[in-house]
Amino acid sequence: MAFLRSLTLRGLPTNVGSAAALGFIGDVMCQLGPERRSLPPLSEMRWRKNGEPPHDESQFDPRRLVSITAFNAAYIGGFLHFLYQTYPIAVSAVTSRVLPLPSPLRAKLLDERTLAHAFGCSICDTVHNGSIYIPAYFIGVGLLQGDPLSEALAALKREWTETFVYCTGFWLPFMWANFSLVPPAGRVRAMATANLGWCVVIDYLAHRGE
């Protein structure tokens, strides 16, 4: 209970709104940019229904846009708002267990102002990406945009390794900088802003098989 009481709701609405807006912009950029999809008049846009064949990749996909926007709002803006607050706690707990005796390294890892502590938080984020974020993205966005669960799981199995490699190469150094340079209140918004570029990569991986 003491752990839960240490988490704060302050800034949650801003984080959710920012993540949703940036997710929306990112997917519009991806569909109209690298994917070169055409944007028909609003009255002619087709909303893919559950069980229907995949959306025509030459046409703008409004359901995918809504799915990615919703995922960003809920996961990045909401879930990460609380998860990021637990990273310093996790680094301190692991450090105290692995390095019980006083040492310069232990002191740096326990001090939230140091690069060593920030790197520990970025390692926590790397573990989170591989175990929670990547599966949540493939399954969550897949189901939201009308894919059967079997297809979402197949895409996750097919793309997990490559996605995790790219994810680690991008987010490990970014999160190290995020936890060392950005105040706690701004870390989710910093991540959501960087995600504007990252979403082009993971969106390509998620839909490449189609």
Side-chain angles (χ1 to χ4, degrees):
M1 293 299 294
F3 168 73
L4 293 177
R5 287 195 297 269
S6 69
L7 304 181
T8 178
L9 293 171
R10 184 178 302 170
L12 177 60
T14 301
N15 287 337
V16 171
S18 299
L22 290 166
F24 180 93
I25 294 170
D27 192 57
V28 170
M29 291 173 56
C30 190
Q31 292 200 50
L32 298 182
E35 298 180 24
R36 300 183 182 277
R37 297 183 181 226
S38 60
L39 185 62
L42 187 61
S43 60
E44 297 179 12
M45 280 195 181
R46 176 178 170 273
W47 182 272
R48 177 192 175 196
K49 297 180 181 179
N50 290 351
E52 288 187 345
H55 193 88
D56 182 358
E57 290 192 355
S58 67
Q59 298 293 315
F60 190 87
D61 187 348
R63 181 164 183 175
R64 195 186 87 179
L65 174 62
V66 171
S67 300
I68 290 178
T69 301
F71 178 85
N72 274 261
Y75 194 96
I76 296 177
F79 179 66
L80 293 188
H81 172 85
F82 297 104
L83 185 67
Y84 282 5
Q85 297 179 56
T86 70
Y87 287 175
I89 300 172
V91 171
S92 296
V94 171
T95 299
S96 297
R97 178 176 291 272
V98 175
L99 300 173
L101 301 178
S103 68
L105 178 58
R106 185 180 192 275
K108 289 180 180 179
L109 287 169
L110 294 176
D111 187 347
E112 295 186 14
R113 299 168 297 179
T114 65
L115 289 174
H117 180 87
F119 185 72
C121 291
S122 69
I123 293 296
C124 290
D125 191 64
T126 300
V127 174
H128 146 255
N129 286 337
S131 60
I132 302 177
Y133 171 65
I134 295 174
Y137 182 89
F138 279 93
I139 296 172
V141 173
L143 294 178
L144 285 171
Q145 67 182 10
D147 296 338
L149 178 59
S150 58
E151 288 187 13
L153 291 173
L156 171 62
K157 182 178 180 180
R158 183 175 62 248
E159 306 291 359
W160 184 91
T161 301
E162 189 173 2
T163 303
F164 181 68
V165 170
Y166 290 152
C167 200
T168 301
F170 183 89
W171 289 113
L172 180 63
F174 176 84
M175 293 305 296
W176 190 5
N178 196 9
F179 273 84
S180 61
L181 302 175
V182 180
R187 287 169 183 164
V188 171
R189 293 190 292 277
M191 184 274 180
T193 302
N195 191 59
L196 192 65
W198 164 250
C199 72
V200 176
V201 177
I202 195 169
D203 186 74
Y204 165 74
L205 293 174
H207 297 88
R208 181 177 56 185
E210 299 176 5

